């Protein structure tokens, strides 16, 4: 029943949307018809200036007088190497720049200058600076040649006076150098002036922003401006424009209407079709089966179709507005109304689509947010209403641009929207925070995801702004309240878009890899999310009032780079360095692969030598790739001399062990006392060498554990290599026989057992030796050379088994430790033993028993 009620509520909202759209369209059509009737009744002797302007087809926005000249100057300045010194510092480009700079200084010093005038002037100065940066004179080689010629002439001394010819040559070179340097000096001076003017303009705009935020307006709670606010809204909605047009204007409008009549009909019909039938048509292609609802392919299909279904009515509404505008009878006030309604429609429909993707209905399992059904509906409703309120805010800005009311009137009109935004945003953030907390309570063992932490932090900020914003507006800080409250809505929308974009990337990755949940262990989606978040920072900055000029200035600063120790580092230099180094690294890896798989296996080098050669080629290739990348990027290594000196001093004291291990690694790779696959014993650690790097060597012990040994210990310590050169090694097997056994027969048996094992080499032949008379046995040893010493333990075990069988067959005893105890005075212990053996006397109680 609850689900049926939600569906009825959604259906009611849909009918409400379509009804509002129809009322808006009908209102605009009636308004346009009223304007057409008014124009038809207007006298013919109207505004001839307007008629002449429209008859000539000229735009009302006439370019500035010096705009064409400025463009020509900019184009000329972009090719400064073709200009001589007189063109730059005389009557050419340089003088045009000086005029612009003088105008900028006057505008900055005039307190009556508007923000728009200052921003336009800053844009012009920024264009000049861009020209100065990119269009520098291209005669550096000529200047270096002249300076080299001048340096080649020896300076005169009292002992060797200079001849007149050399003096004249020196003077001519100095004059030529001064003439060649003049364009550089002019450009550098103009660049410094342009940069300074931009900084002054930015400082002035920051001061104005601070003053505007701290400005106190009359409180909207006071009834002072209530009447003016109602009057402004009434006049904008119902006041007719008093515009008088001539017959010529009317004929032009009529001709325009006839010429675009087919477009008007096309836009209108197509717009109405999309408005009423577009969403239903797209939704008819939605997948019907829920068998594959959790798959990435299903989610992506539903994502695309839901976007088209939500945007189809919006496209239809915009087409209807365009059809109305194309009639040519829409006056200024109606055009403002159309513009405001377009903003309202775009804001609402985008919020509607985002809300249904983030918080889908109960039977739809493609959503992003993890909320229960009731909370999803509540969050969806708040999100849509926030989009509607932001559209009304944009509509109000259109009204303010058309009517230009006082700040008190603006505060009264926007105060209800500010309060509504605060309430809805607070409720929306509260729902999300409560859902996150509920999810944590349901699963105590699962740690909170990083995304949930960030989302909860953002919701806390939204809740704080929702309280502070309306309070500031009620206190009279209208500008600060507007700058704090309304940017919150597009910020929430942008976060929603980023969340959906991350989900799309994850689903695409799963679909490509054909494995559900593959993005959880992949690095590529994480890197993409990081880059997208980084790219979204400028958008957030623009939303929260940062001027586009400030972002442009920041980008210019980043593009110019920073100077560290005389070294210029910029994104362009870094890009060239990374690109060339990556190419060199790939070439190095290709050469290493060719050596390892194709060339070296056909040589007589052993595995250790092949690995050492491949590793050496890799180190040399990486070094050469870095060197070529540095040179190609234009990085001057001489400027890093002091930095290199400081680093060498730090290496000498703090990194001496690492450097020692690095040098030892190079020695191991060159001399190759050990190789991969060798069986070694170093410092009590025995195992096989698995990897040799420049810092350490990895050994796999017989317990299948990896031991990392610094290369310095391998070079300076004692290392036993059991398999160096070849795998042949000796086995020494001790054997004991009991005293009384035939020693010669025992020796013959041991020799026969050793010769009979297939792993024992016949040359040199094995031997069986009597080595000592032990405390408990006669000690023998079998000494044999094995084909592969790696089988030492297995061979020893097999020989022991065979010896045990032969000794048992021959009746030879393998002794074990025995001890006989001899007492020096046994008679002293006899009385004690006798007394212990006598029975104790019985008690009377025992006798009666």
């Amino acid at each position: 029943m609850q689900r049926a009620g939600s569906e009825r509520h959604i259906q009611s909202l849909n009918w409400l949307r379509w009804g509002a759209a129809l009322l808006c369209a009908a209102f605009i059509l009636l308004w346009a018809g009223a304007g057409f009737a008014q124009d038809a009744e207007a006298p013919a002797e109207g505004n001839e200036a307007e008629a002449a302007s429209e008859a000539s087809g000229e735009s009302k926005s006439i370019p500035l007088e010096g705009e064409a000249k400025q463009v020509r100057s900019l184009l000329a300045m972009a090719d400064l190497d073709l200009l001589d010194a007189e063109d730059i510092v005389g009557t050419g480009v340089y003088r045009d720049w000086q005029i612009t700079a003088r105008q900028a200084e006057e505008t900055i010093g005039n307190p009556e200058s508007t923000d728009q005038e200052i921003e336009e002037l800053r844009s012009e100065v920024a264009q000049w600076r861009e020209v100065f940066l990119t269009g520098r004179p291209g005669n550096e080689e000529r200047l270096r040649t002249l300076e080299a010629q001048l340096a080649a002439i020896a300076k005169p001394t009292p002992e060797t006076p200079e001849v007149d010819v050399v003096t004249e040559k020196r003077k001519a070179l100095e004059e030529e150098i001064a003439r060649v340097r003049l364009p550089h000096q002019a450009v550098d001076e103009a660049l410094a002036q342009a940069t300074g003017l931009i900084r002054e303009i930015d400082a002035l705009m920051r001061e104005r922003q601070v003053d505007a935020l701290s400005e106190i307006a009359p409180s909207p709670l006071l009834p002072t401006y209530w009447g003016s606010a109602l009057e402004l809204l009434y006049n904008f909605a119902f006041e007719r424009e008093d515009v008088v047009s001539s017959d010529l204007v009317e004929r032009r409008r009529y001709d325009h209407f006839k010429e675009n009549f087919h477009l008007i009909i096309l836009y209108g019909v197509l717009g109405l079709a999309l408005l009423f039938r577009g969403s239903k048509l797209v939704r008819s292609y939605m997948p019907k089966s829920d068998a594959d609802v959790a798959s990435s392919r299903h989610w992506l299909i539903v994502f695309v179709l839901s976007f088209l279904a939500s945007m189809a009515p919006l496209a239809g509404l915009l087409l209807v507005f365009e059809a109305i505008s194309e009639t040519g009878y829409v006056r200024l006030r109606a055009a403002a109304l159309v513009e405001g309604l377009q903003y309202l429609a775009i804001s609402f429909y985008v919020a509607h689509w985002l809300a249904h993707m983030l918080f889908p209905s109960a039977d739809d399992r493609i959503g992003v947010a993890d909320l229960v059904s009731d909370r999803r509906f509540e969050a969806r409703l708040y999100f849509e209403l926030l989009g509607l309120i932001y559209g009304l805010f944009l509509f109000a800005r259109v009204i303010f641009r058309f009517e230009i009311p006082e700040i008190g009137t603006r505060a009264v009109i926007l105060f209800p929207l500010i309060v509504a935004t605060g309430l809805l945003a607070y409720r929306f953030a509260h729902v999300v925070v409560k859902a996150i907390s509920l999810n944590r309570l349901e699963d105590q063992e699962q740690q909170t995801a990083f995304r949930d932490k960030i989302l909860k932090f953002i919701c806390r900020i939204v809740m704080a702004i929702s309280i502070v914003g309306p309070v500031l507006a009620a206190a009279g800080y209208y500008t600060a309240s507007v700058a704090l409250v309304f940017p919150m809505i597009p910020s929430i929308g942008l976060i929603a878009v980023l969340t959906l974009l991350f989900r799309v990337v994850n689903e695409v990755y799963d679909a490509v890899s054909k494995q559900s949940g593959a993005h959880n262990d992949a690095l590529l989606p994480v890197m993409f999310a990081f880059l997208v978040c980084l790219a979204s920072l400028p958008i957030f900055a623009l939303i929260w009032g940062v001027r586009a000029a400030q972002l442009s200035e920041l980008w210019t600063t980043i593009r110019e780079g920073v100077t560290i120790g005389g070294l210029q580092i910029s994104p362009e230099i870094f890009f060239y360095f990374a690109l060339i180094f990556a190419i060199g690294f790939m070439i190095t890896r290709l050469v290493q692969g060719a050596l390892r798989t194709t060339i070296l296996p056909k040589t007589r080098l052993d595995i250790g030598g092949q690995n050492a050669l491949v590793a050496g080629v890799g180190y040399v290739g990486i070094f050469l790739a870095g060197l070529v990348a540095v040179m190609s990027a234009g990085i001057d290594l001489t400027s890093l001399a002091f930095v290199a000196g400081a680093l060498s001093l730090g290496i000498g004291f703090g990194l001496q062990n690492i450097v020692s291990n690095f040098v030892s690694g190079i020695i191991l790779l060159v001399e190759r006392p050990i190789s991969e696959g060798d069986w070694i014993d170093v410092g009590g650690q025995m195992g096989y060498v698995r990897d040799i790097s420049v810092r350490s060597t990895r050994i796999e012990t017989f317990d299948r554990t990896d031991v990392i040994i610094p290369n310095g210990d391998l070079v300076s310590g004692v290392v036993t290599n059991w398999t160096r050169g070849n795998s042949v090694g000796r086995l020494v097997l001790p054997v004991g026989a009991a005293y009384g056994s035939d020693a010669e027969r025992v020796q013959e048996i041991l020799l026969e057992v050793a010769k009979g094992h297939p792993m024992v080499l016949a040359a040199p032949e094995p031997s069986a030796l009597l080595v000592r008379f032990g405390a408990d046995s006669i000690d023998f040893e079998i000494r044999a050379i094995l084909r592969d010493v790696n089988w030492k333990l297995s061979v020893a075990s097999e020989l022991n088994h065979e010896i045990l069988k032969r000794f048992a067959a021959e009746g030879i005893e393998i002794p074990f430790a025995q001890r006989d105890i001899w007492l020096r005075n046994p008679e002293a212990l006899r009385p004690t033993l006798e007394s212990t053996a006598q029975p104790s006397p019985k008690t009377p109680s025992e006798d009666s028993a």
Side-chain angles (χ1 to χ4, degrees), residues 690-749:
R690 296 307 183 194
D691 181 54
I692 302 176
S693 63
V694 293
R695 192 196 67 83
S696 61
T697 298
R698 180 170 62 88
I699 297 177
E700 182 182 354
T701 65
F702 299 118
D703 298 330
R704 291 296 187 268
T705 59
D706 288 341
V707 179
I708 308 301
I709 299 177
N711 289 332
D713 296 345
L714 296 175
V715 173
S716 61
V718 177
V719 180
T720 302
N721 195 332
W722 293 87
T723 57
R724 181 60 184 163
N726 54 65
S727 59
V728 176
R730 190 176 70 166
L731 169 65
V732 178
L733 184 65
V735 180
Y739 281 99
S741 303
D742 188 353
E744 293 182 355
R745 181 57 184 162
V746 170
Q747 189 172 357
E748 291 176 0
I749 292 173

Side-chain angles (χ1 to χ4, degrees), residues 33-44 243 245 247 250 253 329 331:
F36 175 77
Q38 181 183 5
D39 293 338
E41 297 174 359
V243 179
S245 301
D247 292 337
E250 293 304 324
R253 288 179 177 175
Y329 290 99
R331 293 294 187 180

